Amino acid sequence: MTPERRADLTLEQAQALLLARESELAELRAAHEDFLRAVSHDLRAPLRHITSYGPLVAELLQDCGLQGEELQEAQGFLATMDQSARRMGRMLDGLLALSRIARAPLQRQPVALADLVAQAQAAVAPLARGRAVAWQIATAAAVLHGDPALLRQLLTELLGNALKFTPGRAPARIAIGVERSADGTGATLSVQDNGVGFDAAQAAGLFGVFQRLHRETEFEGVGAGLAAVRAIARRHGGEAQATAALGAGCTVRVRFPG
């Protein structure tokens, strides 16, 4: 066999392999779309039934003459069912958000960090209403290179998280800063708060989906916000990490490569 013929066979094999990989990728995308459709529609209906019919069952309990401890126990069961169904709904919302992050077109462009901060502050304003919040913003003329919508979502999640975990602080102190890498090509965005913090030994699981370091009775949420932060960071080729101590606040850093 001549060298030219061997080269032709190698090229044909490479093209066949590429076509096979493209077919596999198309199948995975189709399966992903089916999953999203099921999450956003099919799985919602049973939850709506639970939350809708629960109050009707409560009325029936009243009408059938159930009283005392038995009535209270039955009402407690219904309340737990309702809370669990609503929690599952929020978890589905979190999965959908992560799926959108994974499949959203990445439109990289220079983005002024000051503009992102202002937009994120406006988005979390309801969480700050009626509270004393001391914002410390040291972004100056910093510019990040990335997708504006995803970066805005990342910063909104971080500011919302900082506000959530600073209850009773007067004021809540939230510092936003950015540092350039030594070679000037990359940047690290940081959001620091003076909130409740967490045990540093548990930091490894902080960015996992539905991972929580505090009880839901203490703080709302299902543990999807920081998972979204990590997903957005990784889509930009970066990474997120957090440092904290119990009662001494938390600092989340998101590194963006050049």
Side-chain angles (χ1 to χ4, degrees):
M1 185 180 293
T2 64
E4 291 80 4
R5 180 55 180 165
R6 284 198 297 270
D8 289 342
L9 286 175
T10 301
L11 180 58
E12 290 174 2
Q13 292 169 349
Q15 290 174 335
L17 181 61
L18 180 60
L19 288 174
R21 293 291 184 268
E22 289 179 346
S23 177
E24 291 175 2
L25 181 59
E27 291 178 0
L28 287 173
R29 285 174 175 165
H32 186 236
E33 292 299 325
D34 289 342
F35 165 77
L36 286 179
R37 193 175 301 110
V39 169
S40 59
H41 298 289
D42 299 341
L43 296 183
R44 299 273 181 191
L47 292 179
R48 285 196 296 269
H49 291 161
I50 294 173
T51 55
S52 299
Y53 286 104
L56 298 179
V57 174
E59 291 181 10
L60 289 175
L61 291 175
Q62 295 278 6
D63 294 341
C64 72
L66 199 63
Q67 296 179 352
E69 293 184 1
E70 291 182 341
L71 177 60
Q72 292 180 357
E73 186 177 26
Q75 290 174 333
F77 292 154
L78 289 173
T80 300
M81 290 170 53
D82 183 76
Q83 292 169 6
S84 297
R86 294 182 188 280
R87 174 179 170 79
M88 186 174 178
R90 294 193 295 271
M91 294 173 78
L92 292 177
D93 290 339
L95 286 176
L96 282 172
L98 290 172
S99 296
R100 293 189 191 101
I101 291 169
R103 65 192 177 100
L106 199 62
Q107 300 177 347
R108 291 180 180 270
Q109 63 187 67
V111 185
L113 186 53
D115 292 341
L116 289 177
V117 171
Q119 293 165 10
Q121 283 182 301
V124 301
L127 298 176
R129 189 172 295 121
R131 296 180 54 186
V133 180
W135 298 96
Q136 300 171 4
I137 303 172
T139 56
V143 174
L144 295 178
H145 192 74
D147 183 271
L150 289 179
L151 292 179
R152 180 168 56 251
Q153 181 181 354
L154 178 145
L155 198 52
T156 300
E157 294 286 1
L158 290 178
L159 297 192
N161 199 65
L163 285 169
K164 180 169 66 174
F165 290 104
T166 52
R169 300 303 195 262
R173 299 188 182 278
I174 301 174
I176 308 162
V178 62
E179 294 181 3
R180 286 290 172 189
S181 58
D183 59 6
T185 60
T188 298
L189 171 69
S190 65
V191 176
Q192 182 180 26
D193 65 63
N194 64 336
V196 298
F198 58 85
D199 184 354
Q202 298 177 299
L206 185 64
F207 294 92
V209 183
F210 306 142
Q211 297 299 306
R212 292 178 53 88
L213 303 185
H214 303 276
R215 292 191 298 272
E216 191 173 1
T217 54
E218 296 176 310
F219 300 99
E220 293 183 355
V222 295
L226 288 182
V229 168
R230 182 179 66 175
I232 294 171
R234 288 181 173 177
R235 284 224 56 192
H236 287 82
E239 191 55 87
Q241 63 178 20
T243 56
L246 281 173
C250 172
T251 301
V252 179
R253 295 180 177 86
V254 182
R255 177 184 56 82
F256 297 96

